[in-house]
Amino acid sequence: MAKADAWGAPEGTAFERRKARGDGLAGNTRLIAEPAYRRLLAAEPLLRRSIPALIIIFLIVIAALRVLSLMNERDEAERDVKAVLGLAAGQMANAISADPTAASSGAIDLLESTSRQGAMGRSHVLVITDSAFKIIAVSPLSTGWQGRSLDSLVLDGQPLFMFGDRAGVMDVSIGGQDWYAAVSLTRDRKNAAAVLVPQEAVFDSWRKTVSLNVTLFVLTAGVLIIILYAYFGQASRAQTADRIYLEAHQRIDMALVRGRCGLWDWDMVRGKMYWSRSMYDMLGYEPCNSMLSFGEVDDIIHPEDGDLFELANKIVEREIDHIDQVFRMRHADGQWVWMRARAQVIDPEAPEI
C-alpha cells in the first residue's frame, strides 16, 4: 500500500507517453486487437443464445445423414439378395434344361451345388418342382415342403408361376411372413426352379446396424445435452463470479481512494507491475489496464531515494522478505509526492505449509 503527500519539482515522464497511447492495449497491438475484441464481447450474448440451436441443428443433420445412409444400405441389401435369387433360380433351370435327369435323381446334388456356388445361407430355400409346381426336391428338408404345391404355399406370387424369370424377384407371403421369391421355368416348362428367402433374415444384419446407430445417436445427444447443461451452469457461475469480483474491486478501489492509498502487484519474474486506479489518481496519471514495466515505474522515482532494480536484486537474493520504504514519486504535474510502500514478498512456487 502507498500513502501520498505533495512535494515539488516538475519534469516529463514515461507515463505521459502512455497516456497519449490510451487505456488497455497499447500501440499497434491495440489498433489491431481491440476492435475484434470489442466485437467479440458484443457478439457474446448472441453466441451464447445460439449454442442450443446449433446443437439441435447438428443433431438433426447427423440424424438425417444417418437415416439416408441406412436407407441406402437397406436398398443395397435388397438389390443384392434379389440379384442372387434370380441368378440361382436361372442357373438351376438351365441345368435341368441341359440334363432333365437333374430334376429327379440329381435334384439334391443340384440344390447343394447351387447353394454353395451362390453362397446361400441357412435361411435360403431352394426348390425344384414339376410342371404342376409340385415340389420334387427342397433344401433344406427341415422346411417340410416336400411333396406340397409351391403355388399354394406362396401367396401373391401368381406372376412368378405364369412368367417365370420374366416376373423378376417378387415380394411374397408364406405362412404370414414376408419373403423374396424368384422362379425360373425350364425351356420345355416341365419343371421349375425356385429360390426363396425370408425378408427378416435378409435385413437382420441391417437391423443390428440400425440399433447400433440409434444407440450411438442417443448417447451422443445425451453427452451433448450434458455438456450444454454444464456450459450454461459454468457460464452462470462465471457471470456471478465476475459480478462479485467487480463489486469487490469497486469497493476496494473506493476504499483505496478515500484512504489516499494505492495497491501494487509486483511480478518479479516478468518484471511487470499492476497498479490500482487509486495509484494513478494519486499521481495524476491516466489509468490504464496494461502492466507497467520496471523502467516506467523507476523513471518516476526520485534518484536520491534508490531504485527498483536494486530493491529487486535484494528480493531475488533473499536478503529481504518484506518492504517498508519511504520514497518520492513524480506527479503528472511535475511535483514530487512522498510515498510509503509496505509489501510482503510471496514466492508462488513455494510449498504450502
Side-chain angles (χ1 to χ4, degrees):
M1 306 287 281
K3 191 171 183 179
D5 196 4
W7 198 258
E11 204 170 318
T13 70
F15 281 87
E16 295 173 355
R17 295 191 294 274
R18 292 182 67 87
K19 179 179 178 180
R21 293 198 299 266
D23 289 346
L25 298 173
N28 294 332
T29 304
R30 180 185 179 188
L31 293 176
I32 296 172
E34 188 170 15
Y37 178 71
R38 293 188 181 278
R39 286 196 297 270
L40 179 61
L41 288 179
E44 184 180 2
L46 177 61
L47 293 174
R48 189 183 299 114
R49 288 193 298 268
S50 65
I51 287 177
L54 292 176
I55 290 180
I56 291 174
I57 292 173
F58 170 76
L59 292 175
I60 291 175
V61 170
I62 293 297
L65 291 176
R66 289 309 302 156
V67 167
L68 292 175
S69 177
L70 290 171
M71 294 308 298
N72 183 58
E73 291 180 13
R74 188 184 190 282
D75 292 340
E76 288 183 356
E78 184 178 11
R79 285 195 298 269
D80 291 343
V81 73
K82 286 184 176 181
V84 170
L85 295 182
L87 289 173
Q91 180 181 352
M92 287 194 298
N94 291 334
I96 295 172
S97 297
D99 183 10
T101 60
S104 53
S105 59
I108 299 300
D109 293 337
L110 177 60
L111 294 178
E112 292 179 354
S113 174
T114 304
S115 179
R116 287 193 302 270
Q117 292 177 6
M120 303 289 180
R122 295 181 178 180
S123 300
H124 288 77
V125 178
L126 284 72
V127 175
I128 297 176
T129 72
D130 58 15
S131 57
F133 298 106
K134 181 180 179 181
I135 297 175
I136 301 174
V138 61
S139 176
L141 291 173
S142 58
T143 58
W145 292 4
Q146 185 76 26
R148 300 182 62 179
S149 177
L150 183 61
D151 56 352
S152 65
L153 288 171
V154 177
L155 303 180
D156 304 323
Q158 292 305 317
L160 293 172
F161 304 108
M162 293 178 60
F163 305 108
D165 51 8
R166 287 180 296 174
V169 180
M170 293 184 59
D171 298 353
V172 298
S173 177
I174 301 177
Q177 292 183 338
D178 294 327
W179 288 58
Y180 289 121
V183 176
S184 184
L185 305 176
T186 58
R187 286 191 292 268
D188 56 9
R189 301 183 69 88
K190 290 183 178 180
N191 297 97
V195 182
L196 309 93
V197 64
Q199 293 186 17
E200 182 179 359
V202 173
F203 299 117
D204 181 63
S205 177
W206 178 81
R207 282 192 298 272
K208 292 179 180 177
T209 302
V210 171
S211 178
L212 177 61
N213 277 265
V214 170
T215 302
L216 291 176
F217 178 79
V218 171
L219 290 176
T220 302
V223 170
L224 288 177
I225 291 173
I226 293 173
I227 292 175
L228 182 64
Y229 174 79
Y231 166 78
F232 278 104
Q234 182 64 26
S236 177
R237 287 190 293 271
Q239 289 178 342
T240 302
D242 288 344
R243 185 176 65 255
I244 294 174
Y245 167 78
L246 290 175
E247 292 175 354
H249 192 72
Q250 290 171 357
R251 292 192 183 101
I252 292 173
D253 280 344
M254 186 179 298
L256 291 173
V257 170
R258 291 180 178 179
R260 297 289 292 165
C261 296
L263 178 66
W264 289 23
D265 189 353
W266 188 356
D267 187 342
M268 294 285 183
V269 176
R270 295 188 298 166
K272 297 290 184 178
M273 287 186 185
Y274 167 78
W275 278 8
S276 65
R277 296 182 68 89
S278 59
M279 191 66 202
Y280 290 99
D281 292 339
M282 284 193 300
L283 294 175
Y285 297 111
E286 185 75 16
C288 66
N289 296 322
S290 59
M291 303 286 281
L292 305 174
S293 66
F294 276 11
E296 288 175 316
V297 177
D298 193 63
D299 284 344
I300 63 173
I301 295 179
H302 198 287
E304 296 179 0
D305 299 336
D307 60 71
L308 291 180
F309 294 101
E310 180 182 354
L311 184 60
N313 287 331
K314 290 183 179 180
I315 294 174
V316 171
E317 296 296 332
R318 300 185 183 276
E319 295 180 9
I320 58 175
D321 60 0
H322 68 280
I323 300 171
D324 190 349
Q325 187 170 345
V326 178
F327 53 88
R328 287 166 287 180
M329 300 188 75
R330 185 182 295 114
H331 194 277
D333 60 10
Q335 298 179 352
W336 291 105
V337 179
W338 281 102
M339 298 281 181
R340 183 175 184 179
R342 290 180 177 179
Q344 182 69 37
V345 179
I346 299 175
D347 185 359
E349 296 183 358
E352 296 183 1
I353 298 177

